Amino acid sequence: MKKIKQIMLFLALAGCTQPIYAQKQPKYALDKTFIDQQLVKSAEQIKTLAAVTPVDKFPQTFRDGKNIFSGSSWWCSGFYPGTLLLLSEANDDPSLLKLAQEKLKYLEKEQFNKGTHDLGFMLYCSFGNALRLTKDTAQYKPILLNGAASLASRFSPKTQVIRSWDHGPWKYPVIIDNMMNLEFLTESSKLSGDQKYYDIAITHADKTLKNHFRKDFSSYHVIDYDPNTGEVHAKKTHQGAFDESAWSRGQGWALYGFTMMYRETKKKPYLKRAQEVANYILNNPNLPKDLIPYWDFDKDKISSDNKMYKNKDLRDASAAALYASAFVELAEYSKPKQAKRYLQAAETIIKNLSSDAYFAKKGENGGFLLKHSVGALPLNSEVDVPLSYADYYYVEALLRYKELIK
């Protein structure tokens, strides 16, 4: 039998649950021992967070020596139970599974929440992982399908996109983050057999592909549509430095979202856009050598007398974690030269996020894994603090990489 030179199929986390298809087995800079050590450290650390988390609350951040928690309707509520589930899987630790399942009881009511576009984050990264790990369709399938119906209710045939916010000065705002919730819809079509969820995801992705990007393939944060015609009303930012700046985590949502949509559809324009965004990130002269980005790629264009941005040189570990997870998957769909570059970028980010500069010492950082994320600097919200989604995508990146080196 001829020596097999390609890995045809292996399981890995993509988005929250899906398999990745490998083209060629590369050389790896990080070994299994290193990855396993980080997964063990992460499990130990998150137990510190679990010990201080109220039964009906969800970890939000740690600031000024105090843990801050949210209710289930907060857009990030699904990341903490999702991270528990991933670490339970990684370490074969039933205690973490139990902790996650207990927390899910307080999250399940959000299946009927039609006031947010973030149900993919809230429900799919939590209940999606729970279904994958336990195979308990009786318990988790109805919740997921109710949630998908709630998310789909925010889609307008006129605009051909899912509305992001119901607040603010916008007519019909759509943020690049919304790409991340489309996997919830594509998977719900598979669960239910109902094509409409898949079709909504495709329509939204196509409209985003058309309107959300500049000529250099950086992404705007907010596209505001006319709700009656579907035409672009304005191109803005909400969390970036200014309207024409490239907010770093926004580039991550685009990179990850279109990589995922290629996996779900095999539509080549999605892969091409993911690679274009990846190249924008990696070729950007303002990307530090350690590949942990500043919170905005255009932070140097901020006026020096702008007092609102006195901390403009902050890094964003959450964006870096998102990049790493996306790069591992994107490498699997790319030609060898590109794949090597994307995988090396993921390795560099994982290594640096795992260093003392970003990974918290046991028992510190309020029990969160990573330090130095930035939620929204222009809003002075969650500045240079740990964040639950940074932890989630860091652990996901570790698991994806571990599957590769198997």
Side-chain angles (χ1 to χ4, degrees):
M1 184 175 181
K2 294 181 179 180
K3 182 178 180 181
I4 299 174
K5 294 184 178 180
Q6 292 186 339
I7 303 173
M8 298 305 295
L9 176 65
F10 59 91
L11 294 176
L13 291 170
C16 294
T17 61
Q18 290 302 298
I20 297 175
Y21 298 87
Q23 293 182 352
K24 186 177 181 181
Q25 186 172 4
K27 295 179 180 179
Y28 303 112
L30 306 176
D31 61 26
K32 182 177 180 295
T33 299
F34 173 83
I35 298 298
D36 283 340
Q37 287 175 343
Q38 288 307 122
L39 289 168
V40 169
K41 289 180 180 179
S42 297
E44 292 173 345
Q45 178 72 344
I46 207 167
K47 289 178 181 179
T48 298
L49 180 56
V52 299
T53 301
V55 65
D56 60 342
K57 298 295 182 182
F58 297 81
Q60 184 170 340
T61 188
F62 179 76
R63 186 174 62 239
D64 300 326
K66 296 181 180 180
N67 285 83
I68 298 172
F69 303 97
S70 75
S72 63
S73 63
W74 183 53
W75 74 276
C76 296
S77 55
F79 288 119
Y80 170 66
T83 306
L84 288 171
L85 288 161
L86 295 183
L87 289 172
S88 170
E89 177 184 25
N91 294 285
D92 193 21
D93 188 337
S95 70
L96 293 177
L97 175 61
K98 183 179 178 181
L99 285 171
Q101 291 175 318
E102 291 172 350
K103 191 58 64 178
L104 292 181
K105 296 175 185 177
Y106 297 92
L107 183 58
E108 66 179 48
K109 63 177 175 292
E110 301 306 329
Q111 65 188 291
F112 302 112
N113 186 346
K114 296 182 179 181
T116 178
H117 71 286
D118 285 313
L119 292 174
F121 291 139
M122 296 162 68
L123 299 178
Y124 190 60
C125 291
S126 54
F127 290 97
N129 274 311
L131 176 59
R132 178 177 62 86
L133 294 177
T134 68
K135 314 301 182 190
D136 190 345
T137 55
Q139 182 173 3
Y140 297 124
K141 181 178 175 180
I143 295 171
L144 287 165
L145 294 184
N146 285 332
S150 295
L151 177 57
S153 74
R154 300 184 63 80
F155 176 81
S156 166
K158 290 183 178 180
T159 60
Q160 297 186 313
V161 279
I162 299 166
R163 185 183 182 109
S164 292
W165 300 320
D166 295 334
H167 57 80
W170 319 99
K171 292 179 178 292
Y172 194 102
V174 177
I175 58 178
I176 191 61
D177 321 34
N178 214 343
M179 284 297 302
M180 300 293 289
N181 295 293
L182 301 185
E183 185 178 14
F184 188 16
L185 295 178
T186 60
E187 288 303 308
S188 293
S189 276
K190 298 172 190 177
L191 273 176
S192 65
D194 191 336
Q195 181 73 14
K196 73 177 181 182
Y197 298 124
Y198 180 88
D199 291 343
I200 289 173
I202 293 289
T203 304
H204 182 100
D206 286 346
K207 194 74 176 277
T208 301
L209 190 71
K210 178 182 178 182
N211 293 323
H212 241 94
F213 294 89
R214 304 180 183 93
K215 291 182 179 180
D216 63 1
F217 304 112
S218 64
S219 172
Y220 287 96
H221 183 201
V222 188
I223 301 297
D224 197 17
Y225 289 96
D226 185 310
N228 296 312
T229 67
E231 296 299 315
V232 173
H233 171 69
K235 298 184 177 185
K236 298 287 186 178
T237 195
H238 186 60
Q239 291 168 257
F242 47 90
D243 290 341
E244 291 296 327
S245 76
W247 174 49
S248 296
R249 194 164 63 253
Q251 311 316 302
W253 297 139
L255 171 68
Y256 191 118
F258 279 101
T259 301
M260 173 273 296
M261 283 301 292
Y262 174 71
R263 179 230 306 149
E264 291 294 299
T265 68
K266 296 300 180 286
K267 290 181 177 289
K268 291 185 178 180
Y270 297 160
L271 175 61
K272 184 172 184 289
R273 182 50 46 88
Q275 293 167 334
E276 289 165 342
V277 176
N279 294 337
Y280 170 82
I281 292 170
L282 294 176
N283 292 336
N284 197 295
N286 288 331
L287 181 68
K289 290 183 179 180
D290 64 3
L291 306 190
I292 312 299
Y294 296 104
W295 67 281
D296 194 296
F297 280 103
D298 295 300
K299 56 97 179 175
D300 289 342
K301 296 177 183 177
I302 299 171
S303 173
S304 59
D305 60 1
N306 190 327
K307 296 180 180 179
M308 184 172 68
Y309 293 113
K310 61 182 180 179
N311 295 322
K312 68 178 184 178
D313 291 336
L314 292 173
R315 304 292 190 94
D316 184 7
S318 71
L322 192 58
Y323 295 174
S325 187
F327 279 140
V328 174
E329 181 175 12
L330 183 59
E332 295 306 304
Y333 308 139
S334 301
K335 293 180 180 179
K337 186 176 181 180
Q338 287 177 303
K340 181 180 179 180
R341 189 185 191 201
Y342 301 150
L343 188 59
Q344 287 177 338
E347 290 167 338
T348 298
I349 295 170
I350 290 171
K351 182 178 179 180
N352 288 321
L353 288 180
S354 301
S355 72
D356 290 343
Y358 289 95
F359 194 87
K361 293 181 180 179
K362 184 178 179 181
E364 297 183 358
N365 205 38
F368 287 86
L369 309 184
L370 297 181
K371 302 175 286 186
H372 306 309
S373 289
V374 177
L377 187 55
L379 307 178
N380 195 30
S381 174
E382 297 170 344
V383 176
D384 196 22
V385 295
L387 293 170
S388 60
Y389 46 93
D391 290 356
Y392 180 90
Y393 290 111
Y394 170 73
V395 173
E396 184 184 74
L398 291 174
L399 281 169
R400 285 180 164 183
Y401 191 85
K402 182 177 179 178
E403 290 297 330
L404 288 181
I405 59 180
K406 279 185 178 180

